[in-house]
Amino acid sequence: MKVYGVTGWKNSGKTGLMERLVTEFTTRGLAVSTVKHAHHDTDIDQPGRDSYRHREAGARQVLLATPRRWAVMHELRGAPEPSLADLLAQLAPVDLVLVEGYKQGAHPKIEAHRAENAKPPLAQENPTVRALACDSALDTALPCFDLDDTRGIADFILRDLGL
């Protein structure tokens, strides 16, 4: 599986770019999965639901299955957070995994950047950033795409990965 990241500061357009890239790549016939890393504690399960009650009772893993989808929730119960590599090993094989977050990961990335955030590009200190997707001109030697140029960004990622 090929892995490519979308990184950037908060409110820089990462999630919108991820969403558009998934649509673009799947329209081109690629099988795509995503990984989203959150720095804060989040819960995808709802209090009172049966699966939530199973986890609260102490289950290490809860698999929830419906006619439309299934999901596995794994409680760490004090164990360290798994690495990106460990998480990628849990995914079914696909052509491309897009990763949102994991700024310090070794995988190649494109950085979403908005001028209104008034923050310097992460690319200045992160050699894994291969290009920027910006809403304004930046002084950089890296390729810089308009944040809304989904097709151009997708073409760049595929070339960068040799796909």
Side-chain angles (χ1 to χ4, degrees):
M1 288 189 304
K2 301 287 188 172
V3 177
Y4 215 91
V6 174
T7 193
W9 297 104
K10 183 178 180 178
N11 297 321
S12 62
K14 298 180 302 290
T15 302
L17 179 57
M18 286 277 292
E19 184 177 21
R20 292 190 312 274
L21 286 172
V22 169
T23 299
E24 180 70 23
F25 289 133
T26 58
T27 299
R28 295 183 188 198
L30 295 173
V32 179
S33 291
T34 66
V35 173
K36 164 65 174 136
H37 185 257
H39 293 284
H40 51 83
D41 188 22
T42 186
D43 197 341
I44 61 170
D45 209 2
Q46 302 299 315
R49 307 298 289 183
D50 293 350
S51 54
Y52 182 91
R53 292 172 60 191
H54 296 182
R55 287 188 308 116
E56 288 297 302
R60 175 69 57 119
Q61 287 188 314
V62 175
L63 191 147
L64 175 62
T66 73
R68 294 189 57 135
R69 71 186 53 88
W70 63 270
V72 175
M73 291 167 280
H74 183 99
E75 291 294 316
L76 293 176
R77 306 258 181 240
E81 180 179 357
S83 69
L84 177 58
D86 290 338
L87 295 172
L88 292 171
Q90 300 296 315
L91 295 176
V94 292
D95 300 313
L96 176 62
V97 178
L98 291 174
V99 177
E100 183 178 345
Y102 290 99
K103 289 177 183 147
Q104 301 309 315
H107 57 285
K109 300 168 192 70
I110 188 157
E111 178 181 349
H113 188 273
R114 290 194 192 275
E116 69 186 43
N117 283 348
K119 300 232 184 203
L122 297 169
Q124 292 177 347
E125 296 183 11
N126 188 333
T128 64
V129 174
R130 306 275 179 88
L132 290 109
C134 319
D135 65 353
S136 63
L138 288 174
D139 183 21
T140 178
L142 294 174
C144 196
F145 297 88
D146 184 279
L147 189 55
D148 294 322
D149 183 9
T150 306
R151 178 178 288 275
I153 294 167
D155 289 342
F156 174 83
I157 290 171
L158 294 178
R159 277 192 313 273
D160 199 28
L161 291 173
L163 288 175

